[in-house]
Amino acid sequence: MRRRLPFLFGFFLYLLPLLGTAGVVRGRITDPKGQPLGFANVAVKGTTTNTASNEQGNYQLSLAAGRYDLVFQFVGYKPLIENVRVMGGDTATVLNVTLTPENYQLREVVVRAKDRDPAFAIVQHAMDWRAYHKREVAAFTARAYIKALARLKDVPNRVLGMFKVGPDLKPGIIYLSESVSEVSFQQPNLVKERMISSRVSGDAKSFSLNRAGAGRGLSFYNPVLKVFSERGFVSPIAPNAFLFYQFVLEGTTQQDGLMLHKIRVIPRRRTDPVFAGHIFIVDGTWRLHSVSLTLNEDAQLDYVDNVRIDQQYAPAPGAPHVWVMQSQTLTAAISAFGFKGNAFLTAVFSQYRVTPTYPSRPVPAAPAPAADPNEAVHAETVAEAKQQRPALRAATRRVKRESRKTAVAALDSAARRGTLLEVDKLAPGEVMRVEKGANERDSAYWAQIRPVPLTDEEIKDYHVKDSTEVIRNSKPYQDSLDRLRNKFNPQQFLLVGYTYNNTHRKQSYFVAPVFQIVQYSTVEGTIINPQLTYSRYTDDERRFWLTPSLRYGTAAKLFSPSVEINWQHSATHLARWRVEVGRTVENFDPNSQLTPLINTTATLFRNHNYAKYYQRRGAEISYLTELVNGLQVRGAVSYFDRRELENTTIDLIRDIPGRAFTPNDPVSAEMPGGTSFGRSRALGSELWVSYRPGQRYITRPDGKVNLGSRYPTFRLTWRQGWHAPGSDVRYTLLEAGIRQSVQFGLLGTSSYRLSAGGFLGKPKLAFMDYRQFSGNRFVAAADFSRFQLLDYYRYATRERFVEGHFDHHFNGFFFNKVPLLRRLKWQEVGSVNYLYTPTAGQYVELGVGVEHIMKLLRFDYYTGFQSGNKLNHGFRLGIGF
C-alpha cells in the first residue's frame, strides 16, 4: 500500500486540474441518410443549458466534467436521449447521433362525409388555451446567443439599370455576426436586453445588429405576427384561424410521456396572409411543442421570396407546468432589385430563471382521448372543449391580471434582496443596451462561450475578413476602393447627384443632382445653383457638414450666395447646431411641395409659374436637442431683410394657347388687395417642443436609436415676430399638434396628423409670415401626407386654423383577393385632408389610390369639397412604398 501511495498521489495531482473544470462535448447530428440536420436542438436534461447545431449539423456544449443526459430534438424527428461522460480539461468528448423521423400513428376512425378532420378539434383546444399560455409566464430572465448570416448569390452590375453596384458587394457572405445577451421579460409585453458580447466579421469596431427581444414578435400565441410585411400574418391558433386555415392530423406519437399531435397547416386561400407547414401540439395541455412554418411569395412578402420559422419549446427549469422557448431559427431567400441570396438567424435561449404566474396549472388538463377510436380525440375533444371553456375563460381573465402583478412582485422582491440583474436596471423606455467593450472579446472567448459551432464557411469568413481588416482599413486599400466608388456616372449625377468619398479621412463631398443645379422660374429665368456639401464624420453619431450655395438667376442678374452649417456634436443623443447666413431666394411657403424640378417642369411645359419667390438676406441660428428620452426641443433666432421680386422673363418651351403666366404675387383669400410688400425686415424667434411618451430606444456605444411608441407624438410651437429697431413685424403664433400611426392588424395601418392654432391679437406681418398649408396643383405629388388639390397660397391665414390629414394603408387587404393584383403586389390606400379657417370655411379632400406600384410608386385620385360643394378633382403620382 505504501508503494502505491506515490502513484495514487500523482494520479490525484493529475486529476485535480480536471475536477470541476469545463470540458467540451461535440459531434454531428444527421438523419438516417447521413444528411446533416441543421439547427437541431441539444439540451442537457434537467438543466437550463442547451444549444443548437449549425448549418452542417455540428454542435458543441461546454460542460463541467461529469455525466449528463443530452436530449437531441429536431422538428418532425424522434427525440434521442444519450448519456455522455464529459472529461474536463482539453479532452473533447465526441458524440455523433442519428435522429430518425417520428412515426406518427393515425388511428383508424370512422369519418362521415359531414365530419371535419380530427385536427380541427385539437386546434380548437389550442385556440382556447392560447391566451392563457401567452401569460402563464409572468416574468423570466435568460441568456440568449444569436448568430445571423446573410449571403449573396447573384449581384447585378447596376440597380434599376442606372446605379452601379459598389466593388465591396460581391457573391458570398456579406454579414456575419454573433451576440450574447441577457434578456428580461415581464408581462404584458416588456422585453429588455443587455448585450454583453458582440462580434461582426471583418469589423472589430462595429456592434452586432442582433436583437433577442425582437423574437417576442414571433410568438404564435399572438393572433397576428407583425413581421416581414406591413400587414402581418395570422397565427394558426388565432381565434379566427378557421377562417384562414385547414388542418389535417397527420398522426400522434408519445414523446417523454407526452402525447404529441402532428398537424399539417394548409392555407384556405393562397391570397391570405397565412403560414403553411406543421405545428406540434401537446395533448391535454394543448400547448405548442414546436412549429415549422413557412411563408412563401404568395404571402406578399417584401423583398423576400420565402421565410421559414422553426421553434422548439420545453418545460421551464424549476416550473415544468409552464413552457419556454429553447431555440428559434429563421431562414429566408432574398430577391430584390437584381440581388439574390439567402439569410438565417438562429437564437438559443438558456440559463432561464422563470417566475410562473401561478405555482400550478389553475385549470385541470383535459383527459387523454379514449381508446375507442370513435370516441377518441376526433370527436371527444369537441365536448371536452365546451365543458372546459367557462373555467378556462375565467382562468384567462385572471391570468391577465395576475401575470402582471406577479411580474411586478418578483421584480420588487429581487430589488429588495439585491439580486437584480443588470438587464433589469435599464432605464424606463430603454429596451436594449449594448455594453461598451462588448466588441472587444477575443477569439478564445468566443470559442469557449459560443454554443453553436461555426461552419467551415463561417470560419473562413472570420479568418479572411478579420486578418485583412487592418489592410482594408489602411489608406492604400480604402483609396483603391474610393477610386472605384468615385467614378463619375452621368445617369446617377442626373438623378441623385455625385458623391466623392475619402473613406480613410472620414469625409465626403456631395454635389447636388442636375435638376437642383439647373432650374427655371419666371422670376430669375435660368437658374444656376451649384451646391457642394462637405461632410466629416466619426465612427459614432458625430458629424459636421457645410453647404455653400452660389445661386445665380440669368434673367434677373441676381446673385444669391449663402452657406449652411450643421454640427451634430454628441455621440449619444440628438444635439445639433445649425447656422444659415447669406442671400437666398425663398418660396413664400417654406414647406412647399413645389420642388425645383416640379416648378421648372410646370413653368416650361405647362405655362404655370406656380411658385412665388422673394429674396431674403440675413442669418438664422438654431439648436435641436433631445433633453430627455422622447422630449425634443428646437430653438431658433433669426434676422432677415425680405425684398419683393418680380417676373423678369416669359420664355418657355411649350406654349399653351390661352394660358399666361401670373405675377409673382401669391393670391390670398385674406388679402384681396394683393400680397405685395415691397420690403420687410423681421427679427424672429421660434421654439417648438415635441414629446412622445413611452418612447422605446436602444443605447449603443456609438449612439442612441429611437424605436417608437404606442402613444402619439405631441408638439407645441411658438413663433414670434419681434417689433424692435430694424424690425417691421409684430406677431405671436401659437400652435398645438398631434400625430400617430396605429396598426389594425390585417386591416392595415392608419396615420393621422392634426394641428390647430392661430395668431394672437392684431398681428403685423408680411405674407411669408402667414401660416401656410402646402397645397398642390401639379400631377406630381411630393408628399402624400399633405393637401393634393388645395391652391398653393390661397388659404394661408393670419387668423385661427384647424388642419388634419389621415391616411389608411390597407396593405393589400382587398387587392390580394384579386389574382392579377396580388401578383403585382399592389396595395390600396385611402386619404382624407381637412382645413378650416374663417376665410376658407370647411375644406375637405377625399382620396383613394394604389401604392407599391413597381415597389416604388403611388397613384391616387382626389376629390375636393368646400363647404359641402364639390370643388375640383385630379390624379396624383408620386413615391409610395
Side-chain angles (χ1 to χ4, degrees):
M1 183 66 185
R2 289 179 179 176
R3 289 194 300 267
R4 293 180 180 178
L5 283 176
F7 170 78
L8 293 175
F9 182 71
F11 183 68
F12 173 75
L13 292 178
Y14 169 78
L15 290 178
L16 186 60
L18 303 182
L19 295 178
T21 62
V24 176
V25 56
R26 62 166 57 102
R28 194 163 187 251
I29 308 172
T30 60
D31 66 9
K33 295 181 180 180
Q35 296 299 312
L37 294 178
F39 312 114
N41 188 262
V42 185
V44 181
K45 189 174 182 180
T47 73
T48 63
T49 303
N50 63 286
T51 185
S53 61
N54 63 21
E55 282 185 295
Q56 297 173 332
N58 296 319
Y59 76 94
Q60 68 181 31
L61 270 172
S62 295
L63 299 170
R67 284 196 170 274
Y68 300 91
D69 287 329
L70 300 186
V71 183
F72 298 85
Q73 297 181 89
F74 190 75
V75 176
Y77 285 71
K78 291 181 179 179
L80 179 65
I81 300 178
E82 290 283 353
N83 184 268
V84 62
R85 181 182 178 184
V86 178
M87 299 295 294
D90 297 331
T91 304
T93 302
V94 178
L95 177 62
N96 298 320
V97 299
T98 299
L99 300 184
T100 58
E102 183 64 84
N103 184 19
Y104 288 89
Q105 299 294 328
L106 191 60
R107 290 170 293 179
E108 184 179 349
V109 183
V110 177
V111 180
R112 295 172 291 275
K114 65 179 181 179
D115 290 341
R116 293 197 295 181
D117 190 277
F120 281 83
I122 300 173
V123 173
Q124 180 65 64
H125 267 309
M127 291 178 183
D128 293 340
W129 280 94
R130 179 194 63 82
Y132 176 84
H133 288 145
K134 181 180 178 181
R135 296 174 175 85
E136 65 179 357
V137 174
F140 72 76
T141 59
R143 173 69 62 91
Y145 165 83
I146 296 180
K147 179 165 65 177
L149 180 147
R151 61 169 69 88
L152 288 176
K153 293 185 175 180
D154 295 327
V155 178
N157 292 324
R158 295 180 181 272
V159 176
L160 300 176
M162 293 178 289
F163 307 112
K164 188 172 178 60
V165 176
D168 44 352
L169 274 182
K170 50 190 176 183
I173 294 178
I174 59 172
Y175 181 77
L176 171 60
S177 171
E178 297 175 278
S179 64
V180 177
S181 299
E182 292 177 350
V183 182
S184 172
F185 168 76
Q186 295 177 47
Q187 290 286 357
N189 195 30
L190 178 60
V191 183
K192 293 188 174 185
E193 179 178 354
R194 174 176 168 260
M195 185 181 291
I196 57 178
S197 305
S198 166
R199 186 180 186 185
V200 179
S201 179
D203 194 346
K205 294 182 179 180
S206 290
F207 295 91
S208 173
L209 301 177
N210 298 340
R211 279 191 64 203
R216 292 292 300 179
L218 286 174
S219 171
F220 287 91
Y221 290 117
N222 294 323
V224 177
L225 283 72
K226 294 290 290 186
V227 290
F228 312 121
S229 178
E230 295 174 338
R231 61 177 180 166
F233 301 93
V234 180
S235 168
I237 59 172
N240 59 345
F242 288 149
L243 299 176
F244 295 90
Y245 294 101
Q246 291 180 326
F247 300 95
V248 175
L249 178 63
E250 293 193 348
T252 301
T253 189
Q254 292 281 342
Q255 283 192 11
D256 200 20
L258 300 176
M259 183 178 292
L260 193 62
H261 302 293
K262 180 181 181 181
I263 296 175
R264 185 181 176 192
V265 178
I266 306 171
R268 287 187 178 273
R269 294 166 294 274
R270 295 173 56 193
T271 59
D272 286 339
V274 290
F275 298 89
H278 293 86
I279 57 176
F280 300 80
I281 296 177
V282 179
D283 189 86
T285 59
W286 312 112
R287 65 173 74 252
L288 292 175
H289 172 275
S290 52
V291 301
S292 181
L293 295 170
T294 302
L295 296 167
N296 55 35
E297 60 182 5
D298 292 323
Q300 301 294 292
L301 298 170
D302 296 328
Y303 312 114
V304 177
D305 289 340
N306 59 73
V307 176
R308 175 173 168 174
I309 304 173
D310 293 283
Q311 295 178 346
Q312 184 76 49
Y313 295 85
H321 63 286
V322 299
W323 285 35
V324 291
M325 183 184 294
Q326 277 191 323
S327 61
Q328 175 174 262
T329 301
L330 282 72
T331 54
I334 305 168
S335 176
F337 303 112
F339 293 93
K340 292 185 180 298
N342 55 58
F344 75 80
L345 183 148
T346 183
V348 178
F349 299 90
S350 60
Q351 300 182 23
Y352 271 103
R353 295 197 308 179
V354 176
T355 302
T357 301
Y358 294 111
S360 61
R361 197 173 175 93
V363 178
D372 186 348
N374 291 321
E375 295 178 358
V377 64
H378 318 308
E380 181 181 289
T381 51
V382 177
E384 293 169 358
K386 290 181 179 179
Q387 293 174 2
Q388 255 189 358
R389 205 161 288 158
L392 183 55
R393 288 195 185 113
T396 301
R397 287 193 297 269
R398 291 196 307 272
V399 78
K400 290 181 180 179
R401 300 188 302 266
E402 295 299 324
S403 60
R404 178 58 181 154
K405 290 170 57 179
T406 305
V408 173
L411 192 64
D412 291 342
S413 176
R416 288 194 301 269
R417 296 194 309 267
T419 58
L420 274 180
L421 296 179
E422 290 298 319
V423 68
D424 288 320
K425 299 178 183 178
L426 300 188
E430 187 179 16
V431 298
M432 182 177 180
R433 178 185 299 168
V434 180
E435 292 293 344
K436 186 178 180 180
N439 58 351
E440 297 175 1
R441 314 288 189 179
D442 58 19
S443 57
Y445 167 87
W446 283 103
Q448 180 182 6
I449 200 171
R450 177 187 295 120
V452 180
L454 299 175
T455 64
D456 295 340
E457 181 189 26
E458 293 162 358
I459 293 173
K460 181 180 178 181
D461 188 75
Y462 271 133
H463 176 72
V464 172
K465 291 181 179 177
D466 290 351
S467 60
T468 60
E469 183 176 5
V470 174
I471 298 175
R472 287 183 288 108
N473 288 334
S474 66
K475 186 178 186 302
Y477 183 85
Q478 291 182 344
D479 288 348
S480 66
L481 286 182
D482 284 340
R483 282 193 291 271
L484 296 175
R485 296 190 188 104
N486 294 336
K487 285 185 178 179
F488 183 76
N489 183 327
Q491 290 178 314
Q492 189 169 340
F493 179 48
L494 178 66
L495 296 175
V496 297
Y498 171 72
T499 301
Y500 178 89
N501 290 292
N502 189 323
T503 306
H504 188 72
R505 292 187 176 182
K506 295 182 172 57
Q507 60 187 23
S508 66
Y509 300 86
F510 171 73
V511 181
V514 171
F515 64 81
Q516 289 187 10
I517 294 177
V518 182
Q519 308 170 26
Y520 185 82
S521 76
T522 56
V523 174
E524 299 173 89
T526 300
I527 302 166
I528 308 301
N529 187 31
Q531 288 185 350
L532 175 69
T533 298
Y534 166 77
S535 299
R536 187 170 182 84
Y537 48 89
T538 62
D539 291 330
D540 50 35
E541 294 297 314
R542 290 176 295 171
R543 183 186 173 199
F544 172 86
W545 61 106
L546 172 74
T547 305
S549 177
L550 301 174
R551 181 183 180 116
Y552 181 74
T554 57
K557 295 181 173 55
L558 185 64
F559 181 52
S560 303
S562 64
V563 63
E564 179 182 329
I565 302 171
N566 288 270
W567 178 35
Q568 166 62 37
H569 64 85
S570 174
T572 59
H573 67 282
L574 178 64
R576 182 183 305 163
W577 287 99
R578 178 180 178 273
V579 177
E580 184 180 8
V581 61
R583 282 192 308 212
T584 60
V585 176
E586 299 290 333
N587 194 310
F588 280 89
D589 179 4
N591 300 311
S592 176
Q593 297 187 67
L594 277 168
T595 65
L597 178 61
I598 290 176
N599 188 65
T600 299
T601 303
T603 302
L604 291 176
F605 296 95
R606 300 292 298 170
N607 280 50
H608 283 311
N609 57 328
Y610 290 127
K612 309 302 177 184
Y613 298 104
Y614 68 95
Q615 188 186 57
R616 192 180 72 176
R617 305 178 181 184
E620 179 183 72
I621 181 171
S622 64
Y623 185 69
L624 172 64
T625 187
E626 185 177 39
L627 293 180
V628 296
N629 180 48
L631 179 64
Q632 294 185 3
V633 177
R634 179 184 183 272
V637 178
S638 64
Y639 179 81
F640 290 113
D641 182 355
R642 292 90 61 92
R643 303 190 180 194
E644 190 172 359
L645 298 175
E646 297 180 352
N647 289 338
T648 60
T649 181
I650 58 172
D651 294 338
L652 43 71
I653 294 177
R654 178 172 176 261
D655 189 8
I656 297 180
R659 183 179 296 174
F661 289 130
T662 59
N664 188 44
D665 293 321
V667 176
S668 170
E670 293 186 9
M671 301 178 69
T675 56
S676 177
F677 66 96
R679 181 183 180 187
S680 173
R681 295 172 297 175
L683 174 64
S685 64
E686 183 179 77
L687 176 68
W688 64 251
V689 178
S690 174
Y691 179 56
R692 192 172 195 179
Q695 178 174 272
R696 298 174 296 113
Y697 66 96
I698 297 173
T699 302
R700 297 169 59 94
D702 54 358
K704 177 174 180 278
V705 181
N706 292 330
L707 300 178
S709 170
R710 57 181 293 190
Y711 301 105
T713 300
F714 302 92
R715 179 166 167 170
L716 297 175
T717 302
W718 169 37
R719 180 154 58 91
Q720 182 71 42
W722 300 95
H723 187 65
S727 177
D728 308 323
V729 300
R730 184 186 65 249
Y731 63 85
T732 300
L733 171 64
L734 298 179
E735 180 178 345
I738 181 174
R739 59 183 171 86
Q740 186 182 22
S741 292
V742 183
Q743 296 182 347
F744 292 96
L746 300 181
L747 292 177
T749 302
S750 290
S751 299
Y752 68 86
R753 179 166 55 90
L754 301 173
S755 60
F759 289 85
L760 303 183
K762 296 181 179 180
K764 181 182 178 181
L765 67 175
F767 186 70
M768 70 283 292
D769 300 317
Y770 278 44
R771 177 59 162 83
Q772 307 285 338
F773 297 108
S774 299
N776 185 25
R777 294 177 57 191
F778 195 64
V779 66
D783 187 349
F784 279 104
S785 67
R786 301 183 185 181
F787 294 103
Q788 296 304 319
L789 300 174
L790 187 70
D791 189 275
Y792 292 106
Y793 309 101
R794 184 179 300 274
Y795 295 116
T797 187
R798 56 185 292 166
E799 301 183 81
R800 63 187 185 275
F801 64 89
V802 177
E803 180 183 7
H805 302 274
F806 173 82
D807 283 320
H808 185 77
H809 303 267
F810 290 92
N811 299 336
F813 182 80
F814 297 108
F815 283 0
N816 287 335
K817 296 174 175 57
V818 181
L820 176 60
L821 297 179
R822 175 174 55 82
R823 292 182 64 86
L824 293 173
K825 296 188 177 181
W826 289 0
Q827 297 181 4
E828 57 277 65
V829 62
S831 306
V832 179
N833 300 315
Y834 173 80
L835 174 65
Y836 168 78
T837 70
T839 303
Q842 310 281 346
Y843 176 82
V844 178
E845 293 177 357
L846 302 179
V848 293
V850 181
E851 56 186 353
H852 282 225
I853 301 173
M854 299 171 59
K855 296 186 178 182
L856 294 173
L857 301 179
R858 174 174 167 178
F859 187 69
D860 284 25
Y861 173 76
Y862 289 88
T863 303
F865 301 87
Q866 190 166 23
S867 300
N869 300 315
K870 183 176 179 179
L871 186 65
N872 51 8
H873 62 92
F875 293 95
R876 295 293 182 264
L877 177 67
I879 302 298
F881 58 90

